[in-house]
Amino acid sequence: MIADAVYTVMFYGFSAAVVILALAAVNMRQLLRAALALMGMLALSAALYIMLRAEFLAGVQILVYVGGIVVLIVFAIMLTRSSELLEDLPRTSTRWYGGVASILFMLVACGALCMTPFPVQSNAEPAGDEIRKIGLALLEQGSSGYLLPFELISLLLLVAVIGGTVIARKTRPRNQPFTTGGDLHGEAIVQAARGQGDVTPGDRHS
Amino acid sequence: MTEMLARFAPGLQEWLVLCAVLYAIGLYGLLTRRNAIALLMAAEIMLNAAALNFVVLNRFTSPQLVDGHVMALFVVVLAAAEIVVGMAIVVALYRIRNTVDISHMNYMKG
């Protein structure tokens, strides 16, 4: 009884906090504050995972999202000077279209969810050894295992690391396609200001 | 008081509605933001809602299995990969065009 009451209070409290922080993350004009709101929202999602008895996922959530992705977002905001240049306010019509579309989506989704009979197993408690089961499932071959997706996702991570490095790298490699040209434009300006060399901005296309 | 609160203990529907609300908020951000980094942040909210949905359904329909947890792990890894490549593209575009406003990104327009 007491446990159920506490669970209810925690659910609605955490849900309200997560929803408010998510709204702040999509509405704030200052991007650094929006990133901070996103960080709070992701950290509170870890609390929701713990309420669902997924403690391992809560740890992963904190490590990857809060420790990695939010830091990356903050770095990108600083690198692109988005915090100095305040984001332009979206047009009112865009705001209305987006709001109407997302509210309609939410209504349709909630209606469909409330009408669907799910095979709920009430009173079924998790066994408590989820981490062991996750490890076994990730390395198990066969119909109930996830060995192939596990290996494929490691390949995906490798591709993401290489792709991120190649796309965002600064200097232009010689005779290689698929790069953005770096910031040779800016370097040309700096060199011209120093009065040495006659590098023109159009040089990067040569 | 405690009886009333215990009677309103959240079931599957309440959890799924929470996920749907979070997803709709992410959708709103994706449709209205103009800054590319803010778009990626909205996409993170949507991916988080999807991962939460997997775990909720796993908890309420088959708590003895961990398939939902594994899928949520994959979603987290995909989100990390997506944000890495997305941020690289945004930073590269900023170097070229000095803006991250997506309404100015019309290089590929015919």
Side-chain angles (χ1 to χ4, degrees):
Chain A
M1 182 69 78
I2 296 289
D4 276 350
V6 171
Y7 194 80
T8 310
V9 171
M10 281 173 69
F11 173 74
Y12 285 108
F14 280 132
S15 302
V18 164
V19 168
I20 289 171
L21 282 171
L23 278 174
V26 297
N27 275 317
M28 273 192 182
R29 284 188 67 201
Q30 282 167 306
L31 274 184
L32 272 179
R33 290 189 185 177
L36 208 62
L38 183 75
M39 189 182 83
M41 180 239 155
L42 294 170
L44 285 178
S45 296
L48 291 178
Y49 281 129
I50 290 178
M51 287 181 70
L52 289 166
R53 305 286 302 274
E55 291 87 1
F56 178 65
L57 269 175
V60 169
Q61 175 93 359
I62 295 283
L63 278 176
V64 175
Y65 269 110
V66 181
I69 290 180
V70 172
V71 171
L72 199 59
I73 288 175
V74 170
F75 264 111
I77 290 172
M78 290 174 176
L79 278 177
T80 57
R81 292 193 203 151
S82 298
S83 55
E84 299 169 21
L85 317 164
L86 275 178
E87 187 195 14
D88 292 336
L89 269 180
R91 282 197 298 272
T92 320
S93 60
T94 313
R95 234 166 224 268
W96 274 102
Y97 290 143
V100 167
S102 53
I103 285 174
L104 277 181
F105 169 81
M106 191 183 74
L107 289 180
V108 170
C110 290
L113 289 175
C114 291
M115 280 191 290
T116 313
F118 289 102
V120 178
Q121 291 186 3
S122 56
N123 303 322
E125 280 295 309
D129 58 345
E130 276 78 26
I131 300 178
R132 185 168 165 274
K133 280 186 189 166
I134 288 172
L136 287 177
L138 278 179
L139 290 179
E140 183 187 337
Q141 304 176 20
S143 60
S144 66
Y146 291 91
L147 184 60
L148 183 63
F150 184 64
E151 297 294 337
L152 281 180
I153 214 152
S154 62
L155 197 65
L156 176 92
L157 280 178
L158 180 69
V159 170
V161 167
I162 295 174
T165 317
V166 168
I167 293 171
R169 80 167 136 197
K170 193 175 178 186
T171 55
R172 179 187 58 170
R174 295 288 166 203
N175 302 322
Q176 275 191 27
F178 307 125
T179 53
T180 57
D183 62 349
L184 288 185
H185 183 73
E187 283 170 9
I189 292 174
V190 170
Q191 286 194 3
R194 281 180 187 153
Q196 49 173 311
D198 49 352
V199 185
T200 56
D203 180 56
R204 64 178 168 179
H205 294 301
S206 62
Chain B
M1 184 67 186
T2 50
E3 288 91 1
M4 195 192 74
L5 281 176
R7 220 167 347 114
F8 285 108
L12 178 60
Q13 313 286 354
E14 284 82 2
W15 281 101
L16 289 180
V17 165
L18 169 67
C19 295
V21 169
L22 279 180
Y23 197 89
I25 292 172
L27 188 65
Y28 172 76
L30 204 62
L31 288 174
T32 55
R33 284 286 206 182
R34 292 176 65 182
N35 191 309
I37 297 171
L39 284 187
L40 287 171
M41 285 164 57
E44 287 305 308
I45 293 176
M46 294 169 81
L47 282 167
N48 192 48
L52 193 61
N53 217 336
F54 273 117
V55 181
V56 167
L57 281 170
N58 184 26
R59 170 73 180 79
F60 281 96
T61 61
S62 58
Q64 304 297 324
L65 300 175
V66 291
D67 295 288
H69 295 207
V70 176
M71 291 310 288
L73 270 179
F74 286 152
V75 171
V76 169
V77 175
L78 284 177
E82 171 248 342
I83 205 85
V84 166
V85 177
M87 289 302 166
I89 291 173
V90 168
V91 171
L93 272 173
Y94 176 77
R95 288 226 188 94
I96 297 175
R97 308 213 61 175
N98 273 321
T99 179
V100 286
D101 192 334
I102 53 163
S103 53
H104 295 153
M105 291 182 188
N106 47 7
Y107 256 4
M108 297 178 78
K109 203 167 166 184

